[in-house]
Coordinates of all heavy atoms in Angstrom, one line a residue:
Chain X
R13 N 3.6 16.1 -7.3 CA 4.8 16.7 -7.6 C 4.9 17.0 -9.1 O 5.4 18.1 -9.5 CB 6.0 16.0 -7.0 CG 7.0 16.8 -6.3 CD 8.1 15.9 -5.7 NE 7.6 14.8 -4.9 CZ 8.1 13.6 -5.0 NH1 9.2 13.4 -5.7 NH2 7.8 12.7 -4.1
Y14 N 4.5 16.0 -10.0 CA 4.7 16.2 -11.3 C 3.5 16.6 -12.1 O 2.5 15.8 -12.1 CB 5.4 14.9 -11.9 CG 6.8 14.6 -11.2 CD1 6.7 13.4 -10.5 CD2 7.7 15.3 -11.7 CE1 8.1 13.1 -10.0 CE2 9.0 15.1 -11.1 CZ 9.2 13.9 -10.3 OH 10.4 13.6 -9.7
E15 N 3.7 17.7 -12.8 CA 2.6 18.2 -13.6 C 2.2 17.2 -14.8 O 1.1 17.0 -15.1 CB 2.9 19.6 -14.1 CG 1.6 20.4 -14.3 CD 2.0 21.9 -14.7 OE1 2.7 22.5 -14.1 OE2 1.5 22.2 -15.8
F16 N 3.2 16.5 -15.4 CA 2.9 15.8 -16.5 C 2.0 14.5 -16.1 O 1.2 14.2 -16.8 CB 4.3 15.3 -17.2 CG 5.0 14.1 -16.5 CD1 4.7 12.8 -16.9 CD2 5.8 14.4 -15.4 CE1 5.3 11.8 -16.3 CE2 6.5 13.2 -14.8 CZ 6.3 12.0 -15.2
L17 N 2.3 14.1 -14.9 CA 1.5 12.9 -14.4 C 0.1 13.4 -14.0 O -0.9 12.7 -14.4 CB 2.1 12.4 -13.1 CG 1.8 11.0 -12.9 CD1 2.3 10.0 -14.1 CD2 2.5 10.5 -11.7
Q18 N -0.1 14.5 -13.6 CA -1.4 15.1 -13.4 C -2.2 15.3 -14.7 O -3.4 14.8 -14.9 CB -1.4 16.6 -12.8 CG -0.9 16.5 -11.3 CD -0.5 17.9 -10.8 OE1 -0.9 18.9 -11.5 NE2 0.3 17.9 -9.8
S19 N -1.5 15.8 -15.7 CA -2.1 15.9 -17.1 C -2.5 14.5 -17.6 O -3.6 14.5 -18.1 CB -1.1 16.5 -18.0 OG -0.7 17.9 -17.5
A20 N -1.6 13.7 -17.4 CA -1.8 12.3 -18.0 C -3.1 11.7 -17.2 O -3.9 11.2 -17.9 CB -0.7 11.4 -17.7
L21 N -3.1 11.9 -16.0 CA -4.3 11.3 -15.2 C -5.6 11.9 -15.7 O -6.6 11.3 -15.8 CB -4.1 11.5 -13.7 CG -5.1 10.7 -12.7 CD1 -4.9 9.3 -12.9 CD2 -5.0 11.1 -11.3
L22 N -5.6 13.3 -15.7 CA -6.7 14.1 -16.0 C -7.2 13.6 -17.5 O -8.5 13.3 -17.7 CB -6.4 15.6 -16.0 CG -7.6 16.5 -16.3 CD1 -8.7 16.3 -15.3 CD2 -7.1 18.0 -16.4
T23 N -6.3 13.5 -18.4 CA -6.7 13.1 -19.8 C -7.3 11.7 -19.8 O -8.3 11.4 -20.4 CB -5.4 13.2 -20.7 OG1 -4.8 14.4 -20.5 CG2 -5.9 13.1 -22.1
A24 N -6.6 10.8 -19.1 CA -7.0 9.5 -19.1 C -8.3 9.2 -18.5 O -9.2 8.6 -19.1 CB -6.0 8.6 -18.3
V25 N -8.7 10.1 -17.4 CA -9.9 9.9 -16.7 C -11.1 10.5 -17.7 O -12.1 9.9 -17.8 CB -10.0 10.7 -15.4 CG1 -11.4 10.9 -14.9 CG2 -9.1 9.9 -14.4
M26 N -10.8 11.6 -18.4 CA -11.7 12.2 -19.3 C -12.1 11.2 -20.4 O -13.1 10.8 -20.8 CB -11.2 13.5 -19.8 CG -11.3 14.6 -18.8 SD -11.2 16.2 -19.6 CE -9.5 16.3 -20.1
V27 N -11.0 10.5 -21.0 CA -11.1 9.6 -22.0 C -12.0 8.4 -21.6 O -12.8 7.9 -22.2 CB -9.8 9.1 -22.6 CG1 -10.0 7.9 -23.5 CG2 -9.2 10.3 -23.4
G28 N -11.6 7.9 -20.4 CA -12.3 6.8 -19.7 C -13.9 7.1 -19.6 O -14.7 6.3 -19.9
I29 N -14.2 8.3 -19.2 CA -15.6 8.7 -19.0 C -16.2 8.7 -20.4 O -17.3 8.1 -20.7 CB -15.7 10.1 -18.3 CG1 -15.3 10.0 -16.9 CG2 -17.2 10.7 -18.5 CD1 -15.2 11.3 -16.2
M30 N -15.7 9.4 -21.3 CA -16.4 9.6 -22.6 C -16.5 8.2 -23.4 O -17.5 7.9 -24.0 CB -15.7 10.6 -23.6 CG -14.3 10.4 -24.1 SD -13.7 11.6 -25.2 CE -12.9 12.6 -24.1
S31 N -15.5 7.4 -23.3 CA -15.6 6.2 -24.1 C -16.6 5.2 -23.4 O -17.1 4.4 -24.1 CB -14.2 5.5 -24.3 OG -13.4 5.5 -23.1
G32 N -16.7 5.2 -22.0 CA -17.7 4.5 -21.4 C -19.1 4.9 -21.8 O -19.9 4.0 -22.2
I33 N -19.4 6.2 -21.9 CA -20.6 6.7 -22.4 C -21.1 6.2 -23.8 O -22.1 5.5 -24.1 CB -20.8 8.2 -22.2 CG1 -20.7 8.6 -20.7 CG2 -22.1 8.7 -22.8 CD1 -20.6 10.1 -20.5
V34 N -20.1 6.6 -24.8 CA -20.3 6.3 -26.1 C -20.3 4.8 -26.4 O -21.1 4.2 -27.2 CB -19.2 7.0 -27.1 CG1 -19.4 6.5 -28.6 CG2 -19.5 8.5 -27.0
G35 N -19.3 4.2 -25.7 CA -19.2 2.6 -25.9 C -20.5 2.0 -25.4 O -21.0 0.9 -26.1
S36 N -21.3 2.5 -24.5 CA -22.5 1.8 -24.0 C -23.4 1.7 -25.2 O -24.1 0.7 -25.4 CB -23.2 2.7 -22.9 OG -22.4 2.6 -21.8
F37 N -23.6 2.8 -26.0 CA -24.5 2.8 -27.1 C -24.0 1.9 -28.2 O -24.7 1.2 -28.9 CB -24.7 4.2 -27.7 CG -25.6 5.0 -26.8 CD1 -25.0 6.1 -26.0 CD2 -26.9 4.8 -26.7 CE1 -25.8 6.9 -25.2 CE2 -27.7 5.5 -25.8 CZ -27.1 6.5 -25.1
I38 N -22.6 1.9 -28.3 CA -22.0 1.1 -29.4 C -22.4 -0.4 -29.0 O -22.7 -1.2 -30.1 CB -20.5 1.2 -29.4 CG1 -20.1 2.7 -29.8 CG2 -19.8 0.3 -30.3 CD1 -20.6 3.2 -31.2
I39 N -22.1 -0.9 -27.9 CA -22.4 -2.3 -27.6 C -23.9 -2.6 -27.6 O -24.3 -3.6 -28.1 CB -21.8 -2.9 -26.3 CG1 -22.4 -2.3 -25.1 CG2 -20.2 -2.6 -26.3 CD1 -22.1 -3.2 -23.9
L40 N -24.8 -1.7 -27.2 CA -26.1 -2.0 -27.3 C -26.7 -2.1 -28.6 O -27.7 -2.8 -29.0 CB -27.0 -0.9 -26.4 CG -26.8 -1.0 -24.9 CD1 -27.5 0.1 -24.2 CD2 -27.3 -2.3 -24.3
R41 N -26.1 -1.4 -29.6 CA -26.6 -1.4 -31.0 C -25.8 -2.5 -31.7 O -26.0 -2.6 -32.9 CB -26.2 0.0 -31.6 CG -26.9 1.2 -31.0 CD -26.3 2.5 -31.4 NE -26.9 3.0 -32.6 CZ -27.9 3.9 -32.7 NH1 -28.5 4.2 -31.6 NH2 -28.3 4.4 -33.9
G42 N -25.1 -3.3 -31.0 CA -24.5 -4.4 -31.7 C -23.4 -4.0 -32.7 O -23.2 -4.5 -33.8
M43 N -22.7 -2.8 -32.3 CA -21.8 -2.2 -33.3 C -20.4 -2.3 -32.8 O -19.5 -1.4 -33.2 CB -22.2 -0.9 -33.5 CG -23.4 -0.7 -34.4 SD -24.1 1.0 -34.4 CE -22.6 1.9 -34.9
S44 N -20.0 -3.3 -32.0 CA -18.6 -3.3 -31.6 C -17.6 -3.4 -32.6 O -16.5 -2.8 -32.5 CB -18.5 -4.7 -30.6 OG -19.4 -4.6 -29.6
L45 N -17.9 -4.1 -33.6 CA -17.0 -4.3 -34.8 C -16.8 -2.8 -35.4 O -15.8 -2.5 -36.0 CB -17.4 -5.3 -35.8 CG -16.6 -5.6 -36.9 CD1 -15.1 -6.1 -36.4 CD2 -17.2 -6.6 -37.8
M46 N -18.0 -2.2 -35.5 CA -18.0 -0.8 -36.1 C -17.1 0.1 -35.4 O -16.4 0.9 -35.9 CB -19.4 -0.3 -36.1 CG -19.6 0.9 -37.0 SD -19.4 0.7 -38.8 CE -20.0 2.2 -39.5
G47 N -17.1 0.0 -34.0 CA -16.3 0.7 -33.1 C -14.8 0.5 -33.4 O -14.1 1.5 -33.5
D48 N -14.5 -0.7 -33.6 CA -13.2 -1.2 -33.9 C -12.7 -0.6 -35.3 O -11.7 0.0 -35.4 CB -13.1 -2.7 -34.0 CG -11.8 -3.3 -33.8 OD1 -10.8 -2.4 -33.4 OD2 -11.4 -4.3 -34.2
A49 N -13.7 -0.7 -36.2 CA -13.5 -0.2 -37.5 C -13.1 1.3 -37.6 O -12.1 1.7 -38.2 CB -14.5 -0.5 -38.5
I50 N -14.0 2.0 -37.0 CA -13.8 3.4 -37.1 C -12.6 3.9 -36.4 O -11.9 4.8 -36.8 CB -15.1 4.2 -36.4 CG1 -16.4 3.9 -37.1 CG2 -14.8 5.7 -36.3 CD1 -16.5 4.5 -38.4
S51 N -12.2 3.4 -35.3 CA -11.1 3.8 -34.5 C -9.8 3.4 -35.4 O -8.8 4.0 -35.3 CB -10.9 2.9 -33.1 OG -10.8 1.6 -33.4
H52 N -9.8 2.4 -36.2 CA -8.6 2.1 -37.1 C -8.8 3.1 -38.3 O -7.6 3.4 -38.9 CB -8.6 0.6 -37.6 CG -8.1 -0.2 -36.5 ND1 -8.9 -0.6 -35.4 CD2 -7.0 -0.9 -36.2 CE1 -8.2 -1.3 -34.6 NE2 -7.1 -1.6 -35.2
A53 N -10.0 3.4 -38.8 CA -10.1 4.1 -40.1 C -9.6 5.6 -40.0 O -9.5 6.0 -41.1 CB -11.5 3.9 -40.5

Side-chain angles (χ1 to χ4, degrees):
Chain X
R13 229 176 306 141
Y14 295 113
E15 208 175 304
F16 80 94
L17 206 56
Q18 291 166 17
S19 305
L21 190 70
L22 184 61
T23 314
V25 166
M26 286 195 289
V27 167
I29 293 171
M30 68 172 91
S31 42
I33 296 171
V34 173
S36 296
F37 289 108
I38 299 298
I39 69 161
L40 289 175
R41 297 163 90 93
M43 287 170 51
S44 301
L45 188 59
M46 192 70 171
D48 198 19
I50 298 289
S51 62
H52 285 74

